[in-house]
Amino acid sequence: MQTKPTKKPLILLLLLIVLLGGVAYSMAQSGYLQGRVGNPETGSTTYSKDAEGSAAKVEDYATEAKTQQEAAKAAAEKGDANGLKIAASKAQTAADNAQTAYDEIATYIENAEIAAGVAERAYDAGVEQKLAAETVVDSAEAAYNSRISKAKDSDWIGAFEAKEAWKACEEDIKTGSDVVECLSLETDYTSLKWYICEEYYGTNYQSKCGMYPAMYNTGYDFEDIFTEAKSLYNAWQDAKADYEASYTADYLTELKAIDDEMAAELASEQAFEIAAKEDLNSAKLHADIAASYVIETTADSSLACTSLTLIPSSHEMAATDTEAAFDITVSLELAEEESLSAFIMDGIKASLLAIKTDGAKKPDGSSTPQDWQGTLVFKTPGAGVFTYTSSSSKPVTANPLNIDLTSDKNITVSFSGGVAGDPINVSIDGSKKCTAKLTITQAAAVVEEVTDTDGDGLSDKAEIKKHGTDPALVDTDEDGVSDGDEVTAGTDPTVNEATLSAAEAAALAAAEAAAALALDTDGDGLTDIEEVDTYDTDTNDSDTDNDTHSDGAEVAAGTDPLDANDYPGVVVEDPVDPIEPSDEVPTLTRDIILANYTCTDSFTDNDGEWHEDIICRAQEAGWVKGYSTLIFGPDGNITRAEYVKVLTKIFGLDEQDGYSGNVGFTDVSPNDWHYPYINLAENEDWIRTRDSGYSFNPNTPVTRADAILWAIRAAGEGTFSYDVEASFSDVENDDYFAYALAIANSTLVDTADDTDQPIVEGYSNGTFGPYKNIARSEAMAIATRVAIAWGVASEGWDE
């Protein structure tokens, strides 16, 4: 039976081509493929011009931001406050527009990636389908050749054609054709068939081919073979015809050309994105610098804030309260200064209003009011809010709360919703002198009277949980001694010694004596004997001085368990002569990070922020620099290369050692500034991703996940197969960084402000955001805490 080769490979290819066409159509609808088949306006044959156009816009906006920065600088030098404000606003608008244009490129790249992927799959499928079709043709040919193999050199095809001519002639006889001619054609066919038969069978071929049917009654075997050979030959010819019709010479060439073109366009758009990123960063920097300019004002006409006082200076919640609520009054002191610029807010988010102050006097004693500028900021990292009501407006509730100052130097706001441990920071934006902080604490819980039902001197809880005695019986073991007296004497209140044998009694006495020596009634880590004879602490109270640290922990730390003001991690101050922070910057890294001194930097965009002291100390330690002497950019990104440099500093690696050997990353060159740091980190196995032939992407922002993972690897904590229970809703147990995040989130360090902080925390909604870029301020907080836990600022580090 003759068969036709399958058309399935061709159908699959057509489906892929339809899919590719659908993607192209959707992109064309959005303008992405405009010009792909010839733009009627431009005649362009490329569609990366969208990304190119957006990149060009980013570049233009960066230029505009630079122009406005220069205008802001000129306005500041001229004392033109309005011109400065307008230029700074335009610079920020240019930076915002640059961000919008840059974000557009991501959409173009995403579409290009889809198109490139479909084109690649279409080409790969085309190759496979053409091979499959060739296999069908080869199989048909092989089947035919296998059937005629015994007489392969004979003229089978000629015989096929001769038979078809003879049979056609016989049909024509019915319409009057020449019988003689048909007999001649039959003779031609018979002659060829007998020749093939003889070649096929050899000796006695007559018996196989039916030459003498009366003599050799063996059937017509060869006729069947001949018919099957003809059928296989037809199948082979049909397969060849189908293949040649479906797969023209340029079939794969066209698909490959489309694949190459799509890949080239994707690469082109990615190149535009890289260039645009540099322009975007430039635009942001120019906007930040433009916002940092201030107008110098002479001492003859200006006042500056010199001190800020909070009433109360601290707040204690009741032991039963779950939230704090109280009023805060701020009193300002103003004095004339040579320059006001040091006390004006950082200029990045400023809203400066000129005010008049009552009673201010000039150096000559006159009482002429003086101009002054400033914004009072109330802020807490907790969930609490501040409420302020002025004489001319409705109450304003916010956190942070910004108050544009009026002539009143005493401001009172209400605060509610805070909890123990929340610090409240109040500051005049831009002024390092005018800052103050109070901290919410909570009173220790009052120890309630315990229930002692049977009056044996032991509480019911202690009898059930600790001693195993009956809280309703004065003498559980009925030995004539109350349970309380037995516990005091160190004997077992559940065993009647009178019923024991001499050996049992001796063993019990020995056990009771040993237990008495080791007895720790309140579970504070100190035996009762130590508490009574050595430390004079309460054997029934694990925290005798109620400072939230157990007596045993205080003894281990070398602090006084009887002094509530002396506990681990706190510098005890003399109430008469308190210890003031030093103005001298330490020299050792550990002291720079943890010592009690006032750290001062020049960054105006860190003033009053939660990270101000952290970044200042990191800068003093030589781990990080700002964009300029005034701008740090705490909310900006930190690149992978910059963060690696920070880690090498924290773990004491020598930069010079990083120039030896060859780094394994293809995009890191010995001429790059970051080469030695990345080389060191790779050799230490902190940052690897795969074994060979990979890129590090040094200028790409580091993510929150990688920042934690690299730090924990650098610290040598855990193993790479560490199995943990995920602690955040957006982190799975098998995420590559999960073990490092679990270690960092559960490791507490004692920071410079004497508060225990985990190395890293998540967001208030229970997520961590592992794939978000980490902010420069957050990166420095992690770096500082890692340094305290394991690095150059840790106790065991040899400096």
Side-chain angles (χ1 to χ4, degrees):
M1 177 179 178
Q2 183 173 342
T3 59
K4 297 276 286 183
T6 178
K7 292 291 187 70
K8 184 177 181 181
L10 180 59
I11 293 173
L12 291 175
L13 176 60
L14 290 174
L15 289 175
L16 278 172
I17 292 174
V18 169
L19 175 60
L20 180 58
V23 173
Y25 174 76
S26 65
M27 294 180 187
Q29 291 296 98
S30 65
Y32 181 71
L33 285 181
Q34 186 179 21
R36 174 67 183 86
V37 293
N39 188 322
E41 295 181 3
T42 65
S44 172
T45 58
T46 177
Y47 52 84
S48 63
K49 67 184 184 65
D50 291 316
E52 182 179 10
S54 295
K57 287 193 290 184
V58 176
E59 183 179 11
D60 290 343
Y61 288 131
T63 301
E64 171 66 11
K66 182 179 180 181
T67 300
Q68 295 303 326
Q69 177 212 322
E70 294 170 349
K73 181 179 180 181
E77 292 173 348
K78 293 178 181 179
D80 180 4
N82 187 55
L84 171 59
K85 181 179 179 180
I86 292 173
S89 176
K90 288 184 176 180
Q92 184 59 54
T93 298
D96 293 341
N97 290 338
Q99 181 69 63
T100 300
Y102 176 78
D103 292 341
E104 292 173 355
I105 300 176
T107 301
Y108 303 139
I109 289 179
E110 181 179 0
N111 290 337
E113 287 174 341
I114 294 174
V118 172
E120 182 179 10
R121 290 191 295 273
Y123 172 70
D124 292 342
V127 172
E128 293 180 1
Q129 291 151 7
K130 184 174 182 182
L131 290 174
E134 290 173 349
T135 300
V136 170
V137 175
D138 293 342
S139 296
E141 182 181 9
Y144 166 70
N145 287 334
S146 175
R147 199 68 186 106
I148 67 171
S149 59
K150 291 184 179 180
K152 192 170 184 180
D153 295 333
S154 300
D155 189 4
W156 287 83
I157 299 174
F160 298 154
E161 293 174 350
K163 183 175 181 180
E164 289 176 358
W166 165 44
K167 292 299 183 182
C169 184
E170 286 188 330
E171 288 294 321
D172 291 341
I173 290 176
K174 299 176 183 178
T175 60
S177 296
D178 189 347
V179 175
V180 175
E181 180 182 354
C182 289
L183 292 175
S184 175
L185 291 175
E186 180 183 13
T187 301
D188 292 342
Y189 160 66
T190 303
S191 175
L192 284 171
K193 189 180 80 168
W194 286 121
Y195 173 74
I196 294 172
C197 179
E198 183 178 3
E199 292 291 319
Y200 194 90
Y201 287 115
T203 307
N204 296 325
Y205 68 92
Q206 295 93 339
S207 65
K208 297 291 186 179
C209 299
M211 181 178 290
Y212 307 111
M215 184 182 300
Y216 304 102
N217 190 17
T218 58
Y220 295 86
D221 293 353
F222 187 69
E223 187 66 30
D224 294 339
I225 294 171
F226 188 87
T227 300
E228 183 180 356
K230 179 61 166 56
S231 176
L232 291 173
Y233 173 76
N234 289 340
W236 171 28
Q237 297 306 305
D238 288 345
K240 285 174 62 178
D242 286 344
Y243 175 79
E244 291 168 355
S246 300
Y247 300 96
T248 59
D250 57 354
Y251 166 73
L252 289 181
T253 301
E254 291 178 356
L255 284 180
K256 187 64 171 69
I258 294 174
D259 183 20
D260 291 343
E261 182 179 3
M262 294 295 179
E265 295 300 341
L266 174 59
S268 177
E269 299 207 11
Q270 291 171 333
F272 286 130
E273 181 188 37
I274 293 173
K277 182 63 174 178
E278 295 181 1
D279 290 331
L280 174 61
N281 291 337
S282 176
K284 290 181 176 179
L285 178 57
H286 289 311
D288 287 348
I289 295 175
S292 70
Y293 291 128
V294 294
I295 297 176
E296 299 289 341
T297 308
T298 63
D300 185 53
S301 61
S302 297
L303 293 173
C305 176
T306 57
S307 68
L308 181 152
T309 304
L310 301 185
I311 303 173
S313 58
S314 65
H315 177 76
E316 182 178 74
M317 298 167 52
T320 56
D321 287 347
T322 57
E323 292 185 349
F326 56 96
D327 291 339
I328 306 172
T329 299
V330 179
S331 295
L332 304 176
E333 292 293 334
L334 303 177
E336 292 193 331
E337 296 285 340
E338 293 182 359
S339 171
L340 183 61
S341 63
F343 307 106
I344 299 178
M345 64 178 292
D346 60 18
I348 294 178
K349 298 177 181 178
S351 174
L352 304 178
L353 298 178
I355 65 169
K356 299 290 185 178
T357 58
D358 294 335
K361 294 183 179 182
K362 298 177 69 174
D364 60 6
S366 63
S367 59
T368 303
Q370 303 297 304
D371 291 336
W372 191 78
Q373 295 174 310
T375 301
L376 187 61
V377 179
F378 291 78
K379 182 185 295 186
T380 180
V385 295
F386 304 91
T387 301
Y388 173 65
T389 305
S390 68
S391 59
S392 61
S393 63
K394 295 180 180 180
V396 177
T397 299
N399 179 15
L401 176 66
N402 297 321
I403 301 175
D404 295 317
L405 293 176
T406 64
S407 59
D408 186 3
K409 293 186 295 180
N410 295 312
I411 303 295
T412 299
V413 303
S414 298
F415 175 77
S416 62
V419 297
D422 281 353
I424 295 177
N425 298 287
V426 184
S427 64
I428 298 295
D429 274 353
S431 172
K432 292 184 178 297
K433 293 182 180 179
C434 285
T435 61
K437 180 174 75 172
L438 66 84
T439 302
I440 302 173
T441 59
Q442 190 160 31
V446 178
V447 179
E448 299 180 356
E449 293 295 330
V450 296
T451 302
D452 181 7
T453 301
D454 54 11
D456 61 359
L458 300 176
S459 69
D460 291 353
K461 181 178 180 181
E463 291 209 63
I464 295 171
K465 298 290 187 180
K466 189 170 185 179
H467 304 296
T469 52
D470 190 335
L473 295 177
V474 174
D475 181 11
T476 300
D477 59 4
E478 299 180 348
D479 62 354
V481 182
S482 72
D483 295 342
D485 289 342
E486 287 211 60
V487 169
T488 302
T491 58
D492 190 341
T494 64
V495 177
N496 188 336
E497 287 82 353
T499 64
L500 302 177
S501 65
E504 290 174 332
L508 178 61
E512 289 175 342
L517 292 175
L519 181 63
D520 179 7
T521 302
D522 53 12
D524 61 359
L526 300 176
T527 67
D528 291 354
I529 293 176
E530 289 177 320
E531 294 210 61
V532 173
D533 293 345
T534 305
Y535 303 110
D536 197 26
T537 50
D538 189 341
T539 59
N540 292 308
D541 186 350
S542 63
D543 182 12
T544 302
D545 58 7
N546 293 322
D547 63 358
T548 72
H549 294 266
S550 71
D551 297 339
E554 292 212 53
V555 168
T559 58
D560 187 349
L562 299 175
D563 184 354
N565 293 316
D566 183 18
Y567 54 88
V570 170
V571 177
V572 180
E573 297 184 352
D574 186 331
V576 178
D577 185 19
I579 300 173
E580 295 294 336
S582 170
D583 291 329
E584 183 178 348
V585 178
T587 56
L588 293 181
T589 302
R590 174 172 171 77
D591 294 335
I592 290 174
I593 300 302
L594 286 171
N596 183 27
Y597 72 98
T598 301
C599 187
T600 304
D601 60 30
S602 61
F603 299 131
T604 59
D605 55 355
N606 287 332
D607 292 344
E609 300 292 338
W610 66 268
H611 50 255
E612 179 178 9
D613 187 63
I614 293 173
I615 291 173
C616 182
R617 291 171 184 259
Q619 182 195 32
E620 290 289 355
W623 299 345
V624 69
K625 296 180 180 178
Y627 292 130
S628 69
T629 56
L630 293 177
I631 304 299
F632 177 74
D635 298 326
N637 297 327
I638 182 170
T639 68
R640 291 160 63 88
E642 290 169 340
Y643 188 68
V644 165
K645 178 180 178 181
V646 171
L647 291 180
T648 61
K649 297 290 186 182
I650 286 175
F651 289 96
L653 301 186
D654 188 346
E655 174 186 343
Q656 296 304 315
D657 293 341
Y659 288 102
S660 61
N662 295 316
V663 72
F665 297 109
T666 58
D667 55 355
V668 178
S669 166
N671 296 324
D672 296 329
W673 69 265
H674 46 250
Y675 179 84
Y677 310 112
I678 294 175
N679 196 14
L680 288 169
E682 185 195 18
N683 290 336
E684 293 291 332
D685 210 18
W686 297 350
I687 56 176
R688 80 220 177 290
T689 53
R690 55 177 77 94
D691 292 336
S692 62
Y694 54 93
S695 300
F696 181 66
N697 299 315
N699 298 316
T700 300
V702 67
T703 63
R704 289 165 60 83
D706 283 345
I708 293 302
L709 178 63
W710 296 352
I712 294 303
R713 285 178 180 172
E717 293 298 303
T719 63
F720 300 124
S721 60
Y722 198 97
D723 188 17
V724 297
E725 189 69 27
S727 52
F728 299 98
S729 60
D730 56 349
V731 176
E732 300 293 337
N733 294 355
D734 57 355
D735 284 336
Y736 73 94
F737 55 84
Y739 81 91
L741 179 56
I743 294 172
N745 186 238
S746 61
T747 300
L748 300 180
V749 296
D750 187 10
T751 56
D753 60 358
D754 296 319
T755 59
D756 286 342
Q757 295 282 349
I759 290 176
V760 68
E761 299 174 271
Y763 298 110
S764 58
N765 63 359
T767 63
F768 178 67
Y771 302 108
K772 293 182 178 180
N773 297 337
I774 194 167
R776 286 160 59 84
S777 55
E778 294 172 337
M780 287 304 100
I782 290 174
T784 298
R785 293 166 189 171
V786 166
I788 295 170
W790 302 292
V792 294
S794 61
E795 292 184 0
W797 195 267
D798 182 14
E799 295 187 83

